[in-house]
């Protein structure tokens, strides 16, 4: 049977259309599986043949989300068909942006706050005011210009660095010189914390010389001071008697120690000590209060110190010694009746009184 030329051409066109449709369907299946849809192995192109390009086809099956094959990306990067936006893998600037992430240095930890019962400016109270970074320019107001000492110098340097790091003035150079000169000089717990924070500000400035940040008061966290009684000095043997003087050793006082003698209440064995405590020498941040032991019975006793609303206690701090026991007197020896009954017969400690012969002699207890 003869086939016309038109029929042959129509047949070739039909076969070609079927082949194109099959290739398009296969490409869409591979794309859909590669981005998570469908089951079975994903179709990948051989690097030598170039990427597989999917051609739109009305015969391609729809995906569950309503798209035909993979969504076509059009327009600016990040835009998708339908006006949506592709989600990035995480927050942050676009890859083309290069913005340095600056972390603000740590600021002063809680003291805790000093009661400041005498109302006189002292380093412990200024530390408390400096905990608000917004007050760095006014925290030292009211402090006499002549106030001298390592802790005053430290607080002035810290106040200046606080202003500088926030772009409000200050003097980085002077703060750096003071920090170097005060190495190892801060003895109080608040002084040590202030020195460490000043070092952190200077380190931040070295790493980011032009950066400014807003400092924030830390919420909570470990306090700078662990105020406590560290021991009682009784002279070395751990015992003391009523009316003796002992030394109560306090560490990490978060207030001005000069306020203790008039404002502190010291008890031994639950009884307040007589008189006013005396402030002893300070060494390495330790404060010593000299107190008199009250009248108490023998045995171990606690010691407590109350200042303001806070009280610290040391259980069984020392032992009250029992009172001295006098030795029993030696028994008297019996004397011969004939001894000491006549004139001139007394011993070296006897003196004869004038009287008739045979009178008794008297023994004096004192010196002749």
């Amino acid at each position: 049977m003869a086939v016309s030329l038109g029929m042959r051409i129509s047949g070739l066109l039909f076969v070609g259309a079927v082949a194109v449709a099959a290739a398009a369907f296969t490409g869409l299946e591979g794309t859909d599986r590669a981005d998570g849809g469908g089951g079975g192995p994903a179709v990948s192109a051989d690097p030598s043949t170039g990427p597989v390009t999917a051609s739109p086809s009305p015969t391609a099956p729809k995906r569950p989300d309503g798209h035909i094959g993979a969504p076509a990306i059009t327009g600016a990067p990040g835009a998708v068909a339908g006006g949506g936006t592709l989600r990035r893998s995480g927050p942050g600037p676009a890859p083309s942006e290069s913005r340095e992430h600056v972390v603000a240095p740590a600021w002063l930890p809680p003291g805790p706050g000093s009661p400041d019962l005498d109302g006189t400016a002292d380093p412990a109270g200024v530390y408390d005011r400096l905990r608000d970074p917004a007050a760095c320019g006014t925290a030292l107001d009211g402090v006499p210009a002549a106030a001298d000492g390592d802790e005053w110098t430290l607080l002035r340097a810290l106040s200046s660095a606080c202003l500088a790091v926030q772009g409000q003035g200050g003097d980085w150079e002077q703060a750096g010189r003071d920090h170097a000169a005060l190495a190892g000089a801060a003895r109080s717990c608040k002084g040590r914390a202030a020195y460490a924070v000043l070092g952190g500000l200077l380190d931040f400035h070295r790493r980011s010389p032009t950066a400014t940040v807003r400092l924030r008061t830390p919420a909570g966290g470990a306090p700078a001071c662990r105020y406590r009684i560290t021991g009682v000095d009784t002279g070395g043997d751990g015992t003391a008697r009523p009316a003796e003087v002992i030394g109560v050793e306090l560490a990490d006082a978060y207030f001005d120690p000069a306020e203790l003698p008039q404002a502190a209440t010291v008890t031994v064995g639950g009884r307040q000590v007589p008189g006013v405590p005396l402030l002893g020498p300070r060494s390495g941040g330790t404060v010593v209060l000299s107190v008199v032991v009250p009248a108490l019975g023998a045995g171990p006793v606690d010691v407590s110190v109350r200042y303001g609303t806070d009280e610290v206690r040391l259980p069984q701090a020392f032992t009250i010694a029992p009172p001295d026991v006098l030795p029993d007197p030696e028994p008297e020896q019996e004397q011969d009746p004939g001894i000491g009954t006549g004139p001139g017969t007394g011993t070296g400690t006897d003196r004869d009184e004038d009287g008739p012969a045979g009178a008794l002699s008297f023994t004096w207890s004192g010196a002749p």
Side-chain angles (χ1 to χ4, degrees):
M1 178 178 179
V3 180
S4 67
L5 179 61
M7 289 294 291
R8 290 179 179 178
I9 293 174
S10 299
L12 290 174
L13 291 175
F14 175 77
V15 171
V18 171
V20 170
F25 180 79
T26 303
L28 289 173
E29 280 286 307
T31 303
D32 197 30
R33 290 172 181 172
D35 64 3
V43 177
S44 60
D46 192 322
S48 63
T49 61
V52 177
T53 303
S55 300
S57 172
T59 61
K62 289 187 177 183
R63 300 195 323 173
D65 59 4
H67 290 286
I68 298 175
I73 299 177
T74 60
V80 297
T85 302
L86 287 176
R87 294 182 180 179
R88 301 185 184 278
S89 59
S96 60
E97 299 178 4
S98 59
R99 184 178 179 181
E100 181 184 359
H101 182 61
V102 178
V103 178
W107 191 234
L108 294 174
S114 170
D116 196 15
L117 297 182
D118 63 0
T120 302
D122 55 64
V126 171
Y127 176 101
D128 298 337
R129 293 193 287 275
L130 274 175
R131 289 203 67 234
D132 178 7
C136 286
T138 60
L140 287 165
D141 289 353
V143 176
D148 196 12
D150 292 337
E151 297 226 349
W152 284 121
T153 302
L154 172 60
L155 292 174
R156 290 188 180 99
L158 180 62
S159 178
S160 182
C162 171
L163 293 172
V165 79
Q166 297 184 102
Q168 300 171 1
D171 188 340
W172 282 119
E173 295 296 330
Q174 184 62 49
R177 287 192 294 268
D178 290 339
H179 183 265
L182 294 172
R187 296 300 181 91
S188 71
C189 48
K190 287 184 177 180
R192 293 191 299 268
Y195 186 83
V197 169
L198 177 58
L201 296 182
L202 293 169
D203 183 63
F204 172 85
H205 179 62
R206 283 190 291 269
R207 290 184 287 107
S208 304
T210 61
T212 59
V213 293
R214 177 174 295 180
L215 298 173
R216 299 186 183 278
T217 304
C225 302
R226 295 192 308 112
Y227 176 55
R228 63 200 185 279
I229 300 176
T230 55
V232 173
D233 182 8
T234 61
D237 59 356
T239 64
R241 293 182 174 85
E244 290 185 351
V245 177
I246 59 174
V248 181
E249 300 173 354
L250 299 165
D252 282 0
Y254 56 91
F255 44 82
D256 182 8
E259 300 175 12
L260 276 174
Q262 298 296 330
T265 301
V266 184
T267 62
V268 175
R271 182 173 296 181
Q272 186 172 342
V273 300
V276 177
L278 299 178
L279 188 63
R282 310 178 202 179
S283 174
T286 299
V287 179
V288 178
L289 278 179
S290 297
V291 299
V292 178
V293 179
L296 294 167
V301 290
D302 301 347
V303 173
S304 68
V305 178
R306 175 178 289 275
Y307 171 80
T309 59
D310 292 338
E311 182 180 80
V312 287
R313 180 181 299 272
L314 183 63
Q316 299 186 359
F318 70 100
T319 300
I320 301 291
D324 290 332
V325 178
L326 297 176
D328 294 333
E330 296 181 0
E332 296 183 359
Q333 297 180 355
E334 294 184 1
Q335 294 182 345
D336 190 319
I339 299 177
T341 58
T345 59
T347 63
T349 58
D350 296 337
R351 297 182 63 181
D352 295 335
E353 295 291 329
D354 295 337
L360 295 176
S361 63
F362 294 88
T363 301
W364 294 76
S365 58

